[in-house]
Amino acid sequence: QVQLVQSGAEVRKPGASVKVSCETSGYRFTGYYLHWVRQAPGQGLEWMGWISPDSGGTNYAQKFQGRVTMTRDTSISTVYMELSRLSSDDTAVYYCARDQTVHTGIFDYWGQGTLVTVSS
Amino acid sequence: QSVLTQPPSVSGAPEQRVTISCTGSSSNIGAGYDVHWYQQLPGTAPKLLIYSNSNRPSGVPDRFSGSKSGTSASLAITGLQAEDEADYYCQSYDSSLSGWVFGGGTKLTVL
């Protein structure tokens, strides 16, 4: 069965960076784009960008360009999202989600979420 | 301020029917981009509920249905059950932003 398992909760100080992992299993890793979506406490969903596990190509939301980096390691079917220059506004649960078909934006499987807390 | 506009909350009694609207613009829903809907139960990750405007993934009850017209889309839930109490989000692609956008979410309360 398809599974996306994310790394554990993180606490960072303002100005620092955080790297969240998303380990996939149960399907062909290189066949599906993976997206990152975040949710601030009590707020809605916010799309951050996608990565192609096949080519490593990425596309980031305008809001996060210059601050986010998405990478992948095909040997362990894992994608990563690194966010730099953190502020308290980045406190959120970060989700990885699989795109059902290339570039459709249909997120059919989600990770369990990773809480990132930014606090001094 | 979300690009897609949803009502913050809706409510209904068990067995009743409710609808949740999702209003966009000419750069997203009105441009012909598909709308997808997600259900998020408290403390859990979102779950795909409706894709490509009106299609249900395997395992989603037929009590849930979606439609799209012009610059708006709607999610309808019939035969409301207590387990439907959750947050619901619409999603589409926006050409001006060159990325996917979500509605602000609607909290469904089953009375």
Side-chain angles (χ1 to χ4, degrees):
Chain A
Q1 72 282 22
V2 175
Q3 285 192 305
L4 281 63
V5 179
Q6 299 182 220
S7 48
E10 304 272 11
V11 179
R12 293 287 185 274
K13 294 190 183 304
S17 297
V18 70
K19 190 171 186 177
V20 180
S21 68
C22 171
E23 181 179 358
T24 73
S25 61
Y27 71 98
R28 185 170 59 91
F29 177 65
T30 54
Y32 299 81
Y33 282 26
L34 282 158
H35 298 251
W36 288 90
V37 176
R38 77 176 186 179
Q39 185 172 35
Q43 302 301 308
L45 303 172
E46 182 174 32
W47 178 76
M48 299 181 69
W50 58 254
I51 180 169
S52 164
D54 187 21
S55 67
T58 56
N59 181 39
Y60 305 139
Q62 294 173 6
K63 174 176 179 177
F64 299 101
Q65 284 178 7
R67 214 160 62 90
V68 70
T69 304
M70 297 177 189
T71 56
R72 93 293 193 208
D73 185 336
T74 56
S75 68
I76 55 172
S77 301
T78 297
V79 297
Y80 303 89
M81 186 283 299
E82 184 171 21
L83 190 62
S84 63
R85 304 194 302 277
L86 294 168
S87 73
S88 57
D89 290 342
D90 295 315
T91 294
V93 175
Y94 290 76
Y95 296 100
C96 58
R98 191 186 81 160
D99 201 325
Q100 185 187 77
T101 312
V102 173
H103 217 258
T104 61
I106 302 171
F107 302 157
D108 61 352
Y109 289 92
W110 294 65
Q112 83 277 19
T114 298
L115 175 62
V116 174
T117 303
V118 183
S119 173
S120 54
Chain B
Q1 204 80 327
S2 301
V3 173
L4 305 178
T5 301
Q6 298 180 234
S9 63
V10 297
S11 63
E15 298 305 319
Q16 280 192 333
R17 177 181 186 270
V18 296
T19 61
I20 298 172
S21 61
C22 175
T23 303
S25 67
S26 58
S27 62
N28 41 68
I29 299 175
Y33 295 108
D34 284 343
V35 177
H36 318 304
W37 291 89
Y38 299 87
Q39 177 193 60
Q40 186 176 33
L41 299 171
T44 69
K47 168 192 167 185
L48 180 65
L49 194 65
I50 297 288
Y51 67 94
S52 300
N53 308 317
S54 59
N55 297 282
R56 278 178 286 106
S58 173
V60 173
D62 59 7
R63 301 186 295 106
F64 295 90
S65 63
S67 64
K68 174 189 157 185
S69 179
T71 59
S72 295
S74 288
L75 172 71
I77 310 172
T78 58
L80 265 182
Q81 299 180 6
E83 67 204 47
D84 299 332
E85 198 160 276
D87 293 324
Y88 293 83
Y89 294 90
C90 62
Q91 175 211 4
S92 187
Y93 184 83
D94 190 281
S95 58
S96 296
L97 297 173
S98 299
W100 278 272
V101 293
F102 289 93
T106 298
K107 182 175 182 58
L108 169 62
T109 301
V110 180
L111 302 171

